[in-house]
Amino acid sequence: MLVRAITAPGLRRWCRGRRGAAVACFPLGRALLGVRGAEAAVFLQGLLTNDVTQLVAAGDAPSALYAHALNVQGRCLYDVILYRLHGSTAEEPHILLECDSSVLDSIQKHLKLYKIRRKVTITPCPELSLWAVIPGEQPGDTTSLPKRADQALLLTPDPRTEVMGWRLIAKKGANLSEIIPGSQIGDVQDYHRHRYKQGIPEGVEDLPPGIALPLESNLAFMNGISFTKGCYIGQELTARTHHMGVIRKRLLPVRFPGPLPGTGIPAGTDILTESGKRAGKYRAGGGELGIALLRLAHVNEPLCITLGGDRVRLSASTPQWWPKAAAK
């Protein structure tokens, strides 16, 4: 694999976190899969919701794209982030695919099922490590910059939303403090707490395969879908839902008054209004934070779940990073 350093011109501005606080780097358990070959982008184009051809376009091509792979019924199978490793259109297309590590085998089988005779190689990349890089929340004067970018394969803004910071791909064993001086390695549970606070789903717990619908999962808000790209598996229901313009349920961040018991809340637990109406279902979470599929009509009402025979209150909120029109 050709390792190529990609510098980030906006990193100085972005890294200005809280005064005296280090940028946090979180090791992610997500898997990386290399998709390489002359037809790599065309191959993925028919399987994913986003316009993958952007990654091989001439000019100012993006470094990363978010997308879902759907089944024929239009429900999510895999949430993925794609990374462009080739430097120009003169090079052979080389795309890294990030996915939940628990579905690595199944997504390889899924890709190979549709590969047929395309000039594409599909290879796991266990020699690489994936990191989430999250800045501080308050303005400050820190000037942490990547002075050893040769150890980084890719450093790029998270394509889903600015509040998720950056994605860093490096060689296994790379020294993070040299790539981003002054950074600290954080507890991955804090990364997940940040996700849940922002209402960002990730992986099979938040997006159960064959159940989650892409638009209810805020795929359009997270720059993960193209409505003009043409056909892909699962497009029909997704396009029809989009053009009807009616989405009554969405994934939203929820918060409990305090940390829940260690056993947590079973996925799919009903969330009720005070009057007992079904408002939605709990998906996943940690501590007092979580994510749930809720009817938008009940978002601002007091909510509760039944846990161990007791009613436990919770509240939902609309993320600030959502488009303003969607928050109404």
Side-chain angles (χ1 to χ4, degrees):
M1 176 177 292
L2 175 63
V3 176
R4 181 173 58 85
I6 299 180
T7 59
L11 190 61
R12 181 184 299 273
R13 180 179 63 255
W14 176 84
C15 275
R16 286 176 181 163
R18 188 171 36 189
R19 184 184 297 272
V23 171
C25 299
F26 300 97
L28 303 182
R30 307 261 289 174
L32 291 168
L33 196 62
V35 182
R36 190 169 192 169
E39 298 180 288
V42 175
F43 165 60
L44 293 172
Q45 181 79 339
L47 300 178
L48 300 176
T49 56
N50 215 334
D51 185 0
V52 185
T53 61
Q54 295 179 77
L55 293 177
V56 294
D60 191 19
S63 296
L65 288 177
Y66 179 59
H68 285 185
L70 309 180
N71 62 16
V72 293
Q73 289 80 33
R75 295 181 181 271
C76 178
L77 288 177
Y78 314 107
D79 64 304
V80 302
I81 297 180
L82 304 175
Y83 302 97
R84 173 176 54 85
L85 295 189
H86 55 277
S88 69
T89 55
E91 297 180 36
E92 179 183 65
H94 189 183
I95 297 169
L96 274 186
L97 184 151
E98 171 197 328
C99 65
D100 191 308
S101 58
S102 68
V103 300
L104 179 60
D105 289 341
S106 62
I107 198 170
Q108 286 184 83
K109 292 176 182 177
H110 180 74
L111 294 176
K112 290 176 181 178
L113 176 66
Y114 292 96
K115 177 185 171 184
I116 313 177
R117 296 183 180 86
R118 292 199 181 276
K119 298 177 181 178
V120 174
T121 58
I122 302 167
T123 312
C125 303
E127 75 279 8
L128 299 178
S129 60
L130 175 68
W131 301 77
V133 183
I134 307 293
E137 296 180 353
Q138 303 298 324
D141 298 322
T142 57
T143 56
S144 297
L145 291 171
K147 298 177 182 177
R148 289 291 302 277
D150 57 297
Q151 293 194 45
L153 182 65
L154 187 74
L155 178 62
T156 184
D158 190 307
R160 296 171 295 184
T161 170
E162 185 178 355
V163 299
M164 290 307 296
W166 288 56
R167 273 318 208 238
L168 170 66
I169 298 172
K171 299 176 185 179
K172 276 277 175 66
N175 189 331
L176 269 292
S177 64
E178 291 186 359
I179 297 175
I180 304 178
S183 64
Q184 294 181 354
I185 295 178
D187 185 335
V188 71
Q189 294 307 316
D190 289 335
Y191 166 77
H192 293 306
R193 284 176 54 81
H194 177 71
R195 283 200 305 107
Y196 289 130
K197 183 179 179 181
Q198 300 296 341
I200 303 291
E202 186 176 283
V204 297
E205 290 188 358
D206 301 345
L207 300 165
I211 296 175
L213 288 166
L215 298 185
E216 289 184 351
S217 304
N218 305 320
L219 185 63
F221 294 172
M222 294 187 288
N223 309 304
I225 188 167
S226 168
F227 295 108
T228 60
K229 62 172 278 187
C231 296
Y232 57 90
I233 295 174
Q235 179 206 18
E236 185 176 350
L237 175 63
T238 307
R240 185 165 66 244
T241 303
H242 169 68
H243 290 301
M244 288 175 62
V246 179
I247 300 173
R248 294 185 172 88
K249 295 182 288 184
R250 287 191 181 273
L251 281 182
L252 288 159
V254 294
R255 180 183 290 269
F256 295 88
L260 298 171
T263 54
I265 302 172
T269 297
D270 284 332
I271 297 176
L272 308 174
T273 65
E274 279 193 325
S275 61
K277 291 182 180 179
R278 289 187 178 179
K281 291 184 180 294
Y282 183 81
R283 280 279 174 82
E288 76 280 14
L289 300 173
I291 196 168
L293 183 67
L294 294 171
R295 292 186 177 275
L296 295 176
H298 299 305
V299 168
N300 297 318
E301 298 180 28
L303 303 171
C304 64
I305 62 169
T306 301
L307 190 63
D310 298 323
R311 275 196 165 191
V312 179
R313 293 184 178 275
L314 69 153
S315 60
S317 60
T318 301
Q320 292 186 354
W321 59 266
W322 276 19
K324 297 301 181 185
K328 296 180 179 179

